[in-house]
Amino acid sequence: MRLARERFATHWRWFVAGTLCAALTSIAAASYGYLLKLVVEGLEALAGPDKVEVPTSLWWLIAIIGVAAVVRSLALYGMTIFNNTGVQRAVVDIQADQFGALTDGDFARIAAEASGGFVSRFINDVNALRDAGLRIANNLTKGILTVIGVFITMLVMDWKLTLVLLVIYPIAFAPVLALGNRVRKRSRQSQRQIGEVTSLLGEAFQSARVVKAYGLEDYQKARAERGFVERSRLFLKVLTDRAAVDPILEITGGLALVGILALTAWRIAQGDTSLGNFVGIVGAIAVAAPELRALGTLNSVAQEGGAAADRVFEITDAAPEIADAPGAQPIGFVTGTVAFDNVRFAYPDGTEALKGLSFIANPGETIALVGPSGAGKSTVFNLLLRLYDPTGGVVSVDGTNVRDITGASLRSNMGLVAQDAALFDDTIRANIALGRLGASEADIEAAARAANAHDFILALPGGYDAPAGEMGRNLSGGQRQRIALARAIIRAAPILLLDEATSALDAESEAKVQDALAGFAKGRTTLIIAHRLSTVRAADRIIVMEDGRAVEDGSHGVLMEKNGAYRRLVDLQLS
Ligand SMILES: Nc1ncnc2c1ncn2[C@@H]1O[C@H](COP(=O)(O)OP(=O)(O)OP(=O)(O)O)[C@@H](O)[C@H]1O
Ligand SMILES: [Mg+2]
């Protein structure tokens, strides 16, 4: 209902046009029975042993039936086109809403759910909504008006028979309504499972290399087959319920026919009604029956659409937790002081990643974060970008709590190369240019050179126009990293965040990138996460993290002297 109001209502013009056509169709359809009755009565008058002329009025009547058929078909065509247009437009709005809510919403939500679940919402839920929208738009008005129109003509022709029918028909609808509820429940279950299968498929194809290398074909096939079997089981359940609707209506229809024929034979013999009336009523029922049937299944289709709408609202109604605070200010370009003050943080699943982390990076400094895997290094970047809010303590930039800065202006101050150098399925050029919208050709090339990427890009078929492939799959790991680095460089932001940005490069390439970066990093606050300690020697300060805290902080020389955690890491890597 809400969906009807918010999303379908904006396209009301199409639905009004569709409904007018539906009304026209219904009027034409409802007139059939009566026209038929008149024709049959005309024919009865002709019957008999004597030869007579066919009266002009009868010719006219027959012609009018033809006209009614043409009007009905044309209106039907118009109705379908108008309603479809309206529904398609509403569906586009709904999809855009959903995608917008997910993209603008919390990073945590996307990080937490399997991507397949969302993909399924876009494809399956939207299909269910489209079907329901179309069926309602096309069948509801037409069905109800036709049935009412037919009912009136039937009353006029033979009210006794009509009342008998009126008692019989509703009996057929009780089981149909009950089925609708079952269908709704099951279809929700089935949609959720489609999401699981979608995830499974995406995962299987993305990790094809590992599957082959480890000989996991059978494992994957078994997993997929379980998914497919479950899928078809749920699908069959829904289908069984829905399939029961037609036979139920068919059976009651057949029984009704038998009763009517018997009743009519008896009444015509009594002189209570005429053959014309009977043929007219049969004609009227023939017109109304498919409409009634459609109305019967309409309920279950609408239920499925309702289930889909619920899932859509789950997405669009969730208010992001990390929204700009009411008084949040854009911060402009910062000088680049970054401070963590006793910051504590746990991921939504409860994993404590930071347990009282404190450090300050002064403007223009290059700070390295080192420490064992899982120590919380990447988490520092997540909080600095405000993808999550800390559970305790304060993260600030230029002395301002990041909560009091608008998200957009905070992030425009940061260039990030994440651990998974995410590229998009677009050209190399576009992937670099995404760092700063409106970047010039010269900027792109300069950034690529700084990232030591220019030469290998030129060697690609197509050069800067070569496609990166889905998630950058056309490139090697080191090439992906350099493109991601070029993207961060072109952003020319005051704060540069590099998470294992050169880990996949050979020593020589890395040295080249380091040189270029040293020039670029001047005047910018640079945070570097690296496991390879040769990468961080030149940093102004090195912060050693262990288990969510900073355990040492100082230059390479000082920390080596200190003979503590850093020294141990260095010795381990050298030995
Ligand atoms: N999205 C997440 N949901 C739940 N827990 C997470 C998530 N990301 C990280 N963690 C957990 O938080 C802790 C710190 O993770 P983090 O990614 O910051 O480590 P890291 O120091 O970057 O490690 P690495 O050197 O391996 O990249 C780990 O225990 C990890 O399991
Ligand atoms: Mg990490």
Side-chain angles (χ1 to χ4, degrees):
M1 279 304 107
R2 239 186 80 203
L3 201 77
R5 223 169 41 229
E6 290 173 10
R7 277 301 159 219
F8 286 86
T10 42
H11 303 288
W12 61 272
R13 285 185 184 82
W14 292 104
F15 296 115
V16 167
T19 307
L20 287 180
C21 287
L24 202 57
T25 312
S26 309
I27 293 171
S31 64
Y32 272 158
Y34 200 74
L35 290 171
L36 214 55
K37 162 199 153 92
L38 294 180
V39 170
V40 170
E41 281 172 358
L43 294 176
E44 267 187 311
L46 295 180
D50 302 331
K51 201 172 162 195
V52 286
E53 282 281 304
V54 178
T56 332
S57 60
L58 189 57
W59 287 130
W60 273 114
L61 264 174
I62 294 172
I64 289 174
I65 291 189
V67 172
V70 171
V71 168
R72 184 178 176 209
S73 314
L74 288 181
L76 210 57
Y77 176 76
M79 178 194 80
T80 311
I81 299 290
F82 291 139
N83 283 342
N84 267 294
T85 310
V87 168
Q88 298 299 350
R89 293 190 178 196
V91 160
V92 168
D93 288 353
I94 291 167
Q95 282 178 313
D97 265 9
Q98 262 200 107
F99 192 75
L102 277 175
T103 309
D104 293 338
D106 288 339
F107 172 75
R109 185 163 58 154
I110 300 182
E113 185 163 339
S115 60
F118 290 126
V119 172
S120 144
R121 292 184 195 220
F122 278 94
I123 296 172
N124 298 306
D125 289 348
V126 167
N127 275 347
L129 274 176
R130 179 184 291 132
D131 285 354
L134 276 180
R135 283 289 311 274
I136 291 175
N138 284 338
N139 287 126
L140 194 63
T141 323
K142 181 162 72 79
I144 291 178
L145 285 183
T146 306
V147 170
I148 293 178
V150 164
F151 182 62
I152 293 174
T153 53
M154 282 165 68
L155 276 181
V156 170
M157 288 186 277
D158 184 346
W159 63 270
K160 285 182 194 159
L161 184 54
T162 306
L163 290 183
V164 170
L165 287 172
L166 198 61
V167 176
I168 297 175
Y169 244 103
I171 300 172
F173 278 91
V176 171
L177 289 178
L179 277 175
N181 286 328
R182 282 239 307 258
V183 166
R184 183 187 178 110
K185 227 178 288 153
R186 290 202 167 148
S187 109
R188 188 172 305 159
Q189 196 185 359
S190 145
Q191 297 288 347
R192 201 174 304 127
Q193 199 263 344
I194 293 180
E196 286 163 21
V197 173
T198 315
S199 287
L200 193 138
L201 290 179
E203 204 179 69
F205 297 132
Q206 263 164 26
S207 47
R209 194 199 314 262
V210 174
V211 170
K212 286 272 177 218
Y214 283 74
L216 300 177
E217 289 92 344
D218 288 341
Y219 166 76
Q220 284 289 31
K221 280 188 285 188
R223 266 183 56 177
E225 194 178 329
R226 272 200 299 279
F228 299 149
V229 167
E230 179 65 5
R231 169 92 209 90
S232 70
R233 193 181 66 85
L234 292 174
F235 189 71
L236 264 180
K237 270 181 159 180
V238 174
L239 210 70
T240 317
D241 284 348
R242 219 184 302 164
V245 170
D246 281 345
I248 290 176
L249 290 173
E250 199 75 52
I251 291 170
T252 16
L255 290 180
L257 188 66
V258 171
I260 295 164
L261 284 174
L263 184 69
T264 308
W266 179 70
R267 284 177 61 217
I268 290 183
Q270 301 277 311
D272 195 17
T273 185
S274 71
L275 182 63
N277 281 337
F278 177 67
V279 174
I281 287 207
V282 171
I285 290 177
V287 169
E291 298 294 345
L292 273 175
R293 200 131 44 118
L295 285 176
T297 51
L298 194 59
N299 184 47
S300 59
V301 175
Q303 299 276 354
E304 284 172 51
D310 287 349
R311 285 187 301 269
V312 168
F313 283 129
E314 249 170 55
I315 290 185
T316 53
D317 285 0
E321 281 175 28
I322 305 200
D324 288 342
Q329 296 290 323
I331 194 170
F333 271 112
V334 301
T335 57
T337 310
V338 170
F340 273 59
D341 183 14
N342 197 21
V343 172
R344 312 190 133 267
F345 174 69
Y347 280 100
D349 68 357
T351 315
E352 274 194 82
L354 297 183
K355 304 174 181 171
L357 175 70
S358 298
F359 72 86
I360 294 181
N362 298 308
E365 266 188 327
T366 295
I367 306 279
L369 296 175
V370 302
S373 188
K377 305 180 297 292
S378 300
T379 306
V380 169
F381 287 6
N382 284 344
L383 295 190
L384 197 50
L385 287 159
R386 208 179 167 222
L387 301 183
Y388 301 90
D389 277 331
T391 31
V394 173
V395 177
S396 62
V397 171
D398 274 17
T400 311
N401 189 332
V402 292
R403 290 180 190 245
D404 299 327
I405 305 171
T406 60
S409 79
L410 173 70
R411 292 174 197 134
S412 72
N413 277 294
M414 305 198 188
L416 168 77
V417 180
Q419 221 163 345
D420 51 346
L423 301 190
F424 299 94
D425 190 7
D426 201 337
T427 61
I428 301 284
R429 181 199 317 280
N431 267 291
I432 297 177
L434 284 174
R436 180 157 48 88
L437 295 181
S440 74
E441 202 63 23
D443 293 340
I444 293 174
E445 201 182 302
R449 280 182 197 281
N452 192 23
H454 182 69
D455 292 340
F456 92 74
I457 294 174
L458 287 188
L460 293 173
Y464 278 88
D465 290 315
E470 187 188 339
M471 301 291 287
R473 67 160 85 220
N474 298 353
L475 303 175
S476 79
Q479 291 172 336
R480 275 202 291 273
Q481 281 193 330
R482 282 178 280 174
I483 301 294
L485 197 58
R487 179 159 71 201
I489 289 175
I490 207 170
R491 194 162 178 81
I495 300 173
L496 187 60
L497 307 176
L498 306 178
D499 194 345
E500 296 288 4
T502 53
S503 61
L505 301 188
D506 59 278
E508 196 191 331
S509 305
E510 183 174 33
K512 276 190 199 160
V513 173
Q514 294 277 339
D515 280 349
L517 269 182
F520 176 75
K522 269 206 192 74
R524 299 173 205 277
T525 307
T526 309
L527 300 187
I528 300 178
I529 296 175
H531 282 292
R532 206 189 281 167
L533 297 179
S534 58
T535 315
V536 306
R537 281 179 73 126
D540 297 312
R541 264 164 49 221
I542 297 164
I543 295 171
V544 183
M545 287 185 65
E546 263 173 27
D547 195 24
R549 292 183 195 87
V551 293
E552 279 182 8
D553 186 339
S555 70
H556 174 73
V558 170
L559 293 185
M560 286 302 278
E561 292 275 305
K562 199 173 165 196
N563 210 0
Y566 180 70
R567 178 71 184 256
R568 278 201 300 282
L569 287 175
V570 172
D571 288 348
L572 269 174
Q573 284 203 358
L574 291 181
S575 63

